[in-house]
Amino acid sequence: MTSHRTDRAGLIDRTQPRNFTFDGKAYRGFEGDTLASALLANGVRVMGRSFKYHRPRGPWGAWVDDPNAIMTVTLDGRSFPNCPAATTPLVEDMQARAVNAWPSAAFDIKAGLDLFHRWLGAGFYYKTFMWPDWHLFEPMIRKMAGLGDISRDAPKNYTADQVHDHCEVLVIGGGAAGLACARAAAEAGRGVVLVDDHPIFGGGLHQSVQIEDRTPSEWIADQLAAIMGAGGRVLPTTTAFGVYDHGLVGLAEYGAFGTAPHLHRMRADRIVLATGALDRPVTFAGNDRPGVMAVDAACEYLARYGVLVGRRIALASNNSLADAAEAMLTQAGAKITRISPQDGAIRALGGKQLKGLAQGLRRHEVDTVLASGGLTPLVHLWRHAGGKLDWCAARQAFLPGAAPDGMVAIGAANGTFDLDQALSEARAIGAGNASDAAARTYSLTPLWPEPGDKGRQWIDFQHDVTLKDVELAARENYVSVEHLKRYTTLGMASDQGKTSNMAGLAAMAAIQDRPLPEVGTTTFRPPFVPVPFEMYHGHHGKQLWHPLKRLALEPQHRAAGAALGEYGGWLRPGWYGTGNRGDLIRREVLSARNAAGIFDASPLGKIEVMGPDAEDFVNFIYYNTIRTLKPGNIRYGFMLTEGGIVMDDGVIARLTENRFVISCSSGHVDSVREHLEAWRQDGNNPDRIFIHDLTQQWSTVTITGPKARDILAKLPLGLDLSAQAFPHMTVQETQREETPIRIARVSFTGDISYEISIRSSRASDLWDKVVAAGEPHGATPIGIEALSILRAEKGYIMVGKDTDGETMPHDLGITIPRLKKKPAYIGDRSLHSDKANLPDRKALVGLAVGDGDKVLPTGAHIVDGTLSRSLGYVTSSYDSPTLGHPVALGLLENGSARTGEIVSVWHMGETRQATVCAACFFDPEGERLHA
Amino acid sequence: MRDDSKKWDAPGAPTTLEMSDGLTITPVQLARQTLLSGVDVLGRTQHPIAAWSGVVTAQTYALSLRRDRVLLVNGPALADGWHGDIAQAVSDVSDCYSVFDIRGDRAFSVLKRGAELRLDVPSKSVARLLFGLGVFLYRFEATDTFRVHVFRGQAETFFKSLKFAFPSL
């Protein structure tokens, strides 16, 4: 038996002791204890230090309302920071350490900061660390800030399960009202889920002697049996931490300590809020001393854990519920002294050890002060859902007002503090009936902070916000509650206003001499209590974090030694082989220019547009005129936004009169498909246009280079590949072994190229044959890095790299449709705006450097002579293996008129010279392209 | 650009995965998948239509995707393109989608890790977002067998997501 543990009371299992340490010292508790209850049972009161002044702190609450006892808990070699001691279940061999204290909570080396409190008021850091430079102080401030330290080692097997679920009625809170409501709803045939964050249901019922002629445990067991018997589900140790749109409630279901909670995304047709109410602190001098505690907390520690928190207790309460608390604590052996805080200012005496309580000249020798300034309904979830709050003068509290869709509050959460009334209300709501407003027995005398009172009076225990801080904020005109919160840090972090909000609002109301409801409340946001990030993270890790699309030919690429990386949402070969990356890419470029490169172009878009209006539709979608495109032909074009900005470039092939294939950029397939679908249904007849995204049906192998035709000729396709029969920008369809094959003669390198598309299940066979056919010619597979160089040599752009959010087609040199295309197209009007016609628009240019010069850095700014203004920037820049010198593309103000001009290019403090030239460095006449 | 080859498991050949509790994930080879779009294509199809959450028992059937689109499974071979006579767009998508059967008493529990699904709420469309991936999901042959069509390039991710979801049960 320890000094504060009673002989009988509590729900703990006294046959199962649990050994643990706190700040290095060994203690013993029992199965069913929390860290806080076990420490209190052992006579430990100082369990933490406040954030700013490092004042000693003991528990104020017995559950989620305790802002003070926060610990780093180590179990089996794994550490978990910021565990609230009042809700952390005690486990054998736990090692707990108070956060924000060293070497221990009882003796903290930084406690001396409290001596300087006069200079450390609200917002002191905004005023103090201005000179000579904030950054001088920043490292020290950052080191001191925060609570627990996160472990550098991610705990293994700490993974949250995430499941979607649904119920008809979700009852949040397993106290008397929640249990009665859930039972009534379940027996009425509704699909009920009842959740409570305690491991044992009952809420505050365990403090009662009897309920409806039974012991609390019997009554609770009856309700649970009835709920489950009627098909309801009950989830203990499950916290409803947030309410989101359309009845979605986030539930964190906790298992054994050290395991990640399970996330239930519960969609409920109806949400019943039975979350209860909290004692709010009384604001008096020294009210933060260890030993000052909520009345309800003392009763909970006794009822659930068999812990009598003090022997000589001052009970300072303004409400009628104190009588039952007095009777319960007296029965357990405590000597109670009733104090009426409204009769005069009170003051806690002592330091780390509470020595007594003074009221005026009268001094009470007590070891514990239990305080209650009235009950505050827990309405956080109500506000998450957008519910309104109404001020109740009789209860001196904000109560649920206009309800959000599908939500109702019952019991203490609704201001129904009397048990019989709460049960009646809960049963009516559960059965789907209206609740009768019955007589109320709860009464209280208003008790709020009084500005000007002497002594340091705490409003927010966790963040050391005092009444004087609120007064200071008001003097400095931070009078809105939202400004008050941010200026003083009132109600931040894990407290989230549970204990501090009402006192802070009341203080501000009193300072301004305004009614409290006029001041209002701050915004409540999820989560209601801290939850591990892992719970949100779930399975979205490693390869399931931003998963990439996979190529049908990936096994072939791996076998060929490809270096794979992400390009436009796909895992694609960057280059092939091992060794120096630059050398390998250079070799691939030269292979493509001298013989041929073989490239997997499968991610290129293959979106088919079909139907009687397909021609008009693609003509409307594209900047370029597509209407004149003949079947079997291909045209390059831009898609624009309504603002006239280039959103994609690519080619479009016309297969038949009513069938087009859009080959958009690999990374733009999803957005282009959505763009097409949106416009199909807006301004067009969706019954005459149909869009099929077949990108993943087809894989594409590209052969590019002077030997491309020879290599393709080795495949028995039965086609005339001559330049006359199969010219550039045409497409042919054929079959091989009953498999359709589509060959487009189109190039992204400037050399003769064929894109061979085949159904994906046959792609490996095609790839192997092309590689084998190319080998005698010196052709090799090439990756995206080599392709990027090849296209830049030719001056072919990549949208998003060589364009930005302002680039219009005429900035890229494609001007004719803007001037001559008559039918409407997306972006048309914007291309004729004043902005589109500005002479200094950034246009695509080439940038040449002198012999022997280094490659210009991509992203480097093109600046005017005084380096005072950016005129543009380098978009693509490479050392061209083909040409033997660097090539670069850029966007430059009035670029098309600057050909031949020498410009300054600035990057990271270095300025170099470049000559503006045409954006094409390779085969400008196109002889190789059309060969 | 980095070489991230080792960060990504090489895709394996699809094989049946047998897990505890009798849960199996089986790759399915269908004879043909054909995408058909057109006005009232749902009303004009001659084949049984699969919608959520009914059980498909036919071997040839049409998945209801949206009011003007179905995916015909194991149907006859049709030429790709616009069929003016029936006013329908036709595309062979047999290689576009990988197909899996998830079978067992716990199959629905596994799927609920990836989407908000309710058997008691019918839907005319089998298109769903499952584990963040656009899929077609329906019950096939038995109430405890769910068939999923997922884009070929995302099949690896889907398979991994299922494997990840199962141990958490």
Side-chain angles (χ1 to χ4, degrees), chain A residues 159-163 237-239 241 250-255 259-265 535, chain B residues 113 167-169:
Chain A
T159 308
D161 182 21
Q162 298 181 332
V163 64
T237 59
T238 301
T239 305
F241 62 85
L251 303 177
E253 182 187 9
Y254 287 83
T259 59
H262 291 189
L263 171 65
H264 297 257
R265 295 189 178 100
M535 199 191 63
Chain B
R113 265 67 191 167
S168 60
L169 289 176

Side-chain angles (χ1 to χ4, degrees), chain A residues 545-607:
Chain A
W545 174 257
H546 185 53
L548 300 182
K549 294 172 188 155
R550 311 294 285 268
L551 297 164
L553 290 171
E554 187 178 322
Q556 281 66 30
H557 299 317
R558 284 184 182 269
L564 299 167
E566 183 195 349
Y567 296 88
W570 288 81
L571 188 67
R572 305 181 69 178
W575 63 92
Y576 294 82
T578 55
N580 182 281
R581 186 185 76 163
D583 292 344
L584 293 166
I585 295 168
R586 183 181 175 83
R587 197 181 307 158
E588 289 176 16
V589 171
L590 291 174
S591 160
R593 288 290 185 224
N594 296 331
I598 301 163
F599 177 72
D600 183 354
S602 303
L604 277 174
K606 285 160 286 251
I607 303 174

Side-chain angles (χ1 to χ4, degrees), chain A residues 669-715:
Chain A
V669 173
D670 293 342
S671 59
V672 166
R673 184 186 60 239
E674 286 168 15
H675 181 72
L676 295 172
E677 283 287 0
W679 281 107
R680 166 182 172 258
Q681 297 174 43
D682 189 356
N684 292 281
N685 185 346
D687 292 344
R688 296 171 63 83
I689 307 158
F690 297 96
I691 294 156
H692 288 180
D693 179 4
L694 305 177
T695 303
Q696 299 197 37
Q697 165 72 10
W698 298 84
S699 288
T700 301
V701 177
T702 299
I703 313 170
T704 180
K707 301 288 186 187
R709 182 180 287 120
D710 297 337
I711 295 167
L712 185 61
K714 289 193 177 172
L715 306 181

Side-chain angles (χ1 to χ4, degrees), chain A residues 553-867:
Chain A
L553 290 171
E554 187 178 322
Q556 281 66 30
H557 299 317
R558 284 184 182 269
L564 299 167
E566 183 195 349
Y567 296 88
W570 288 81
L571 188 67
R572 305 181 69 178
W575 63 92
Y576 294 82
T578 55
N580 182 281
R581 186 185 76 163
D583 292 344
L584 293 166
I585 295 168
R586 183 181 175 83
R587 197 181 307 158
E588 289 176 16
V589 171
L590 291 174
S591 160
R593 288 290 185 224
N594 296 331
I598 301 163
F599 177 72
D600 183 354
S602 303
L604 277 174
K606 285 160 286 251
I607 303 174
E608 297 203 7
V609 179
M610 292 173 272
D613 288 356
E615 179 188 286
D616 287 343
F617 180 65
V618 292
N619 201 53
F620 169 73
I621 287 289
Y622 272 93
Y623 166 66
N624 313 68
T625 298
I626 307 298
R627 187 176 277 173
T628 55
L629 187 67
K630 303 290 182 204
N633 284 274
I634 294 173
R635 190 161 290 166
Y636 175 77
F638 291 133
M639 284 187 207
L640 311 182
T641 66
E642 283 181 276
I645 307 303
V646 176
M647 62 167 277
D648 186 66
D649 74 335
V651 295
I652 177 168
R654 188 170 199 164
L655 298 181
T656 64
E657 198 62 28
N658 295 323
R659 186 181 175 203
F660 295 82
V661 181
I662 291 175
S663 179
C664 56
S665 312
S666 304
H668 294 169
V669 173
D670 293 342
S671 59
V672 166
R673 184 186 60 239
E674 286 168 15
H675 181 72
L676 295 172
E677 283 287 0
W679 281 107
R680 166 182 172 258
Q681 297 174 43
D682 189 356
N684 292 281
N685 185 346
D687 292 344
R688 296 171 63 83
I689 307 158
F690 297 96
I691 294 156
H692 288 180
D693 179 4
L694 305 177
T695 303
Q696 299 197 37
Q697 165 72 10
W698 298 84
S699 288
T700 301
V701 177
T702 299
I703 313 170
T704 180
K707 301 288 186 187
R709 182 180 287 120
D710 297 337
I711 295 167
L712 185 61
K714 289 193 177 172
L715 306 181
L717 297 172
L719 296 174
D720 180 354
L721 300 178
S722 66
Q724 297 73 30
F726 198 168
H728 182 54
M729 298 303 268
T730 58
V731 60
Q732 299 212 23
E733 294 180 278
T734 183
Q735 283 206 343
R736 185 166 174 266
E737 295 169 3
E738 297 184 352
T739 299
I741 295 175
R742 186 184 300 155
I743 305 170
R745 189 175 163 187
V746 61
S747 174
F748 195 44
T749 65
D751 261 312
I752 178 172
S753 301
Y754 299 95
E755 291 180 356
I756 313 160
S757 295
I758 194 168
R759 56 186 297 178
S760 290
S761 59
R762 307 288 171 85
S764 58
D765 180 50
L766 173 67
W767 175 268
D768 291 342
K769 284 188 165 57
V770 170
V771 170
E775 209 169 273
H777 294 280
T780 60
I782 62 170
I784 297 247
E785 297 296 334
L787 185 77
S788 297
I789 297 174
L790 292 164
R791 65 93 201 170
E793 290 174 343
K794 181 66 178 173
Y796 289 157
I797 62 159
M798 281 185 175
V799 171
K801 180 168 174 62
D802 298 300
T803 66
D804 62 21
E806 294 191 336
T807 306
M808 292 178 162
H810 52 284
D811 300 327
L812 302 169
I814 311 292
T815 57
I816 291 175
R818 175 174 175 250
L819 302 173
K820 297 193 172 173
K821 185 174 176 181
K822 299 292 182 201
Y825 59 92
I826 299 169
D828 182 5
R829 195 179 68 167
S830 300
L831 295 184
H832 301 285
S833 64
D834 288 347
K835 188 166 185 185
N837 284 298
L838 288 174
D840 60 349
R841 291 188 58 81
K842 288 189 178 72
L844 182 74
V845 296
L847 295 165
V849 295
D851 287 345
D853 272 6
K854 291 183 296 182
V855 176
L856 293 171
T858 301
H861 283 271
I862 304 166
V863 294
D864 66 6
T866 61
L867 305 182

Side-chain angles (χ1 to χ4, degrees), chain A residues 300-316:
Chain A
E300 276 294 276
Y301 280 118
L302 182 58
R304 283 187 177 263
Y305 312 109
V307 175
L308 184 59
V309 295
R311 302 288 178 191
R312 290 168 292 122
I313 297 174
L315 206 162

